[in-house]
Amino acid sequence: MVTVTLDSLDLAALLCSRVCHDVISPVGAIVNGLEVLEDESDASMKEFALDLIRKSARQASARLQFARLAFGAAGSAGASIDLGDAENVAKGFFGDDKTQLTWSAPRMLLPKNRVKLLLNLVVIAAQAIPRGGMITLTVEGDPKASRFVLSAKGINARIPPHAEALLAGSPESGAVDAHGIQAYYAGMVARAAGMKTAFAIEGDTVTITAEMDPTNPNSAPIDTGMIG
């Protein structure tokens, strides 16, 4: 397959579309709730609208915080990110109770591209169980040599369509659209982090692994530190 390279403007535009897609639903619900408050005199309807606004505001905030770490700069070049912060935003991302996330990782700093990859793989793991279920995430190794394992278990689990090709930077169509940009971006981040990804499926469980790629010069050890 031919590797597809996006110019910076197309990449920025597609990522912006992705973030907007994630937040437009809760923001729209907030607007609807405010309209109900303005037009309704019934106390029960007003309380319903307030509950909708509260829930949607929390959801919008959680999705924006997740996007900031998963897609944003999250600090200057070469910065590290606390895995504890990544855990908080990842769990906030699943606020609808349809998907449960079990996070098993030591509290430490990792180079930001590895953490961004981990969060993007969480999204792909969720896509593997469209009807919901359980995602179990494990971080193995130390800050210099990390390995991620994500198991997504649920009804009709499947490797997300085109995910493997998009992660490899070689979409079957030869182009990347707003639907595929997240997996394509995850592949870019994986290569920048010196890591390689793989998928496996057995029964109702999809497993995604990411580990250091010895053939990638970006996999050279990076000094970072543990958090007490």
Side-chain angles (χ1 to χ4, degrees):
M1 290 185 179
V2 178
T3 300
V4 173
T5 301
L6 296 178
D7 66 37
S8 57
L9 288 176
D10 286 340
L11 178 63
L14 289 169
L15 284 175
C16 285
S17 293
R18 166 70 201 205
V19 174
C20 290
H21 175 272
D22 284 346
V23 300
I24 197 168
S25 178
V27 170
I30 292 171
V31 173
N32 291 338
L34 290 172
E35 290 176 349
V36 171
L37 285 179
E38 291 176 352
D39 299 336
E40 282 286 341
S41 58
D42 182 77
S44 63
M45 286 300 296
K46 285 183 175 290
E47 184 58 33
F48 171 80
L50 283 172
D51 286 341
L52 176 64
I53 292 169
R54 292 188 195 103
K55 179 180 178 181
S56 299
R58 287 193 296 267
Q59 187 178 53
S61 176
R63 291 185 178 185
L64 285 171
Q65 290 181 56
F66 182 91
R68 177 178 174 272
L69 283 189
F71 306 121
S76 59
S80 296
I81 296 176
D82 181 354
L83 277 181
D85 293 337
E87 177 183 5
N88 290 336
V89 299
K91 288 185 173 179
F93 186 77
F94 299 109
D96 57 5
D97 296 327
K98 185 177 79 169
T99 302
Q100 301 295 318
L101 174 63
T102 298
W103 184 284
S104 178
R107 186 71 183 268
M108 63 182 175
L109 296 172
L110 285 185
K112 69 174 183 180
N113 279 338
R114 292 190 205 166
V115 178
K116 289 159 73 74
L117 173 61
L118 182 60
L119 292 175
N120 276 273
L121 292 180
V122 168
V123 176
I124 295 172
Q127 295 169 353
I129 44 174
R131 297 181 63 180
M134 173 67 73
I135 297 173
T136 302
L137 178 153
T138 303
V139 176
E140 302 172 351
D142 57 34
K144 294 183 178 181
S146 309
R147 183 172 187 266
F148 308 147
V149 181
L150 296 91
S151 295
K153 182 176 182 178
I155 298 172
N156 295 335
R158 81 282 190 273
I159 296 174
H162 316 299
E164 292 173 287
L166 285 164
L167 275 161
S170 304
E172 293 94 332
S173 65
V176 183
D177 58 17
H179 295 290
I181 187 61
Q182 188 270 322
Y184 176 86
Y185 176 73
M188 292 180 62
V189 175
R191 291 185 287 277
M195 301 185 78
K196 59 182 179 179
T197 60
F199 289 82
I201 184 168
E202 183 175 351
D204 60 357
T205 302
V206 172
T207 301
I208 307 171
T209 57
E211 56 191 355
M212 308 310 296
D213 182 359
T215 68
N216 186 323
N218 292 325
S219 66
I222 299 175
D223 287 332
T224 182
M226 301 291 291
I227 295 178

